Amino acid sequence: MSEALQGIVVLDLAGYLAGPYGSALLGDVGADVIKIEPPGGDAVRQYPSTLAGDNRTFLGANRNKRSIVLNLKNPEGLAAFYRLVEQADVVVHNFRPSVPKRLGIDYEKLRSLRPDLIYCSLTGYGDSENGPLRDHPGYDTMLQCFTGIAAMQGETEQPQILNGSIVDYFTSSFVAIHILSALVHRLRTGEGQHVRPSLLRSAIALQAGQFIWADSEPRNVERWWGASYSGIYPTKEGHLYLQATTPAFWRSLCEFLGFPELLEDPRFDTLTKRAALREEIKPLIREGLKKHTAHEWEELMLGKVPCIAVRTIDEMFDHPQVLAEGLVVEHESPKVGKYKSMGKAIKMGVGDRPTTRAPMLGEHTDEVLARLGFSEGEIAALRANGAAA
């Protein structure tokens, strides 16, 4: 059974995280993703990492790809890229808006080579001509600070960065959705197009439930309904997150923790009332949770109260639920040796090939160029003049 994007060729010029992982998601559903790296490679390859021999982020964000090295600032390298574009379906990059035209890889130029091309330009803040931040560098943490995410974290007035590159990873999904939508449009009409995801658009979308401002309220109204008794609590050993907001879950929580009298108290008979009296409820929860460990509470409350023991990411490698979902696979790298990594992020009903490991820099240059019609002599000449590696 063929995969959804089998036969679709994606040229991935993007670096860092959001763009590359978006292309990896397309690879999850069968796209042939060719990562085109500059001499020296994607900058993330050089980032500090606790993994000996390679960069952990690069390995995680670049599965399902082949790597070739082309120097787009070299005329021969750029000409080789143009030949690749003629046989590709999608081009993805994350250059700032002023860069593509300077490199000769803007949409108008590439569309002249492949009229039905899907051209995806990921930016930090969008590429509108009148946007004052149009060409400003944009990184995950910067967008968290710019859009209010950092200001919303924690319980103090000190803004906090949410670790884990949440904006980048969410943007990756938007990259894939933009491209998939454009491919469906092309299937129906034969037309290619230029799609424009941005970190800004994604960071605002992450807060769609808070990004509401009615005429009848002040601008700085409290938008995050986090002022309740839901949260992380210490237990006999470890921490437990719980959230008991429905009447049935609230009843179960009171019974488990030993304060059933609250069930008959009209002061606590609605969620709104309980949220207002959260400072009375929290100490009761803390005291009740001292009886068991976090993992014991999780087992006791399973299916009855929304709760989960707080774990670290390394515990996911052998958790039975994660394994049951096929989310852990094993690869072998020339630099790292055997390593465990994430399986497919997209779970389809038909078509299922294994994921492949992230490529070594330039590992597939000869293979990809030869398959796309370059002769051995042409490839050797590209290498000799520094246009390819």
Side-chain angles (χ1 to χ4, degrees):
M1 189 73 70
S2 64
E3 294 183 283
L5 295 188
Q6 185 172 325
I8 298 295
V9 176
V10 178
L11 303 183
D12 177 13
L13 290 164
Y16 297 99
L17 181 52
Y21 195 58
S23 296
L25 294 175
L26 299 177
D28 274 352
V29 287
D32 178 8
V33 184
I34 301 170
K35 185 173 180 67
I36 301 174
E37 302 189 64
D42 185 331
V44 170
R45 289 186 184 270
Q46 313 304 325
Y47 271 36
S49 174
T50 57
L51 180 65
D54 215 326
N55 180 275
R56 199 182 306 277
T57 299
F58 183 88
L59 293 182
N62 288 280
R63 63 176 181 269
N64 304 322
K65 301 181 185 182
R66 292 177 291 166
S67 169
I68 71 173
V69 174
L70 287 179
N71 183 357
L72 300 186
K73 296 179 180 179
N74 180 304
E76 286 77 14
L78 183 60
F81 174 68
Y82 288 160
R83 287 179 61 177
L84 296 179
V85 171
E86 290 171 354
Q87 301 182 55
D89 299 282
V90 179
V91 170
V92 184
H93 72 72
N94 62 343
F95 297 114
R96 280 185 271 175
S98 62
V99 173
K101 191 170 185 64
R102 191 163 69 241
L103 287 177
I105 60 168
D106 54 293
Y107 176 55
E108 294 303 322
K109 172 60 181 179
L110 299 192
R111 184 173 64 170
S112 71
L113 304 172
R114 176 74 190 247
D116 64 350
L117 182 71
I118 308 301
Y119 183 92
C120 177
S121 58
L122 169 62
T123 58
Y125 305 90
D127 62 358
S128 299
E129 291 291 341
N130 59 347
L133 298 178
R134 183 174 186 267
D135 274 301
H136 191 51
Y139 293 96
D140 177 292
T141 47
M142 293 175 66
L143 269 297
Q144 287 192 43
C145 293
F146 178 60
T147 62
I149 295 175
M152 187 173 61
Q153 305 308 311
E155 297 181 354
T156 69
E157 294 183 2
Q158 173 65 40
Q160 298 289 324
I161 294 295
L162 183 61
N163 291 330
S165 302
I166 188 68
V167 174
D168 276 340
Y169 281 112
F170 190 61
T171 300
S172 298
S173 298
F174 272 42
V175 167
I177 291 170
H178 275 77
I179 292 170
L180 290 170
S181 299
L183 285 169
V184 171
H185 176 81
R186 190 178 77 172
L187 182 65
R188 291 174 171 169
T189 67
E191 298 174 346
Q193 62 179 295
H194 182 182
V195 296
R196 299 173 167 90
S198 71
L199 297 181
L200 172 60
R201 192 171 296 272
S202 300
I204 296 294
L206 266 171
Q207 304 173 87
Q210 290 80 54
F211 200 61
I212 301 293
W213 181 19
D215 288 346
S216 59
E217 61 184 2
R219 178 192 291 267
N220 64 343
V221 66
E222 176 63 52
R223 287 180 165 82
W224 171 241
W225 190 78
S228 76
Y229 49 88
S230 299
I232 298 174
Y233 291 88
T235 67
K236 183 178 179 181
E237 181 182 325
H239 287 78
L240 185 79
Y241 175 84
L242 60 81
Q243 179 175 323
T245 51
T246 69
F249 290 145
W250 169 246
R251 174 172 293 277
S252 294
L253 177 66
C254 291
E255 292 171 349
F256 271 114
L257 297 188
F259 41 87
E261 66 277 3
L262 295 191
L263 295 173
E264 308 305 323
D265 190 330
R267 296 187 306 144
F268 300 95
D269 61 6
T270 70
L271 179 57
T272 300
K273 292 178 181 179
R274 294 195 296 273
L277 296 172
R278 59 190 177 276
E279 296 309 322
E280 291 187 37
I281 296 173
K282 286 180 178 180
L284 296 173
I285 294 176
R286 291 191 188 96
E287 186 63 29
L289 290 176
K290 290 179 180 179
K291 291 181 287 189
H292 299 291
T293 70
H295 289 279
E296 289 169 345
W297 279 121
E298 181 183 287
E299 186 174 352
L300 286 168
M301 295 182 179
L302 190 66
K304 300 180 179 68
V305 177
C307 72
I308 206 79
V310 176
R311 294 172 168 85
T312 54
I313 185 65
D314 58 278
E315 294 178 78
M316 297 297 97
F317 287 107
D318 54 11
H319 192 283
Q321 184 66 41
V322 177
L323 296 176
E325 286 295 308
L327 287 169
V328 180
V329 297
E330 188 171 85
H331 294 303
E332 186 157 4
S333 161
K335 285 187 175 181
V336 177
K338 288 184 179 179
Y339 68 91
K340 289 182 171 62
S341 181
M342 182 180 177
K344 290 188 174 183
I346 300 172
K347 189 174 183 179
M348 301 285 287
V350 295
D352 187 28
R353 67 173 180 179
T355 58
T356 60
R357 65 166 172 82
M360 310 299 291
L361 178 61
E363 181 177 354
H364 306 96
T365 299
D366 289 9
E367 172 193 330
V368 170
L369 293 180
R371 190 174 69 97
L372 294 177
F374 289 78
S375 68
E376 289 185 9
E378 288 176 315
I379 295 172
L382 288 172
R383 287 183 178 277
N385 67 20

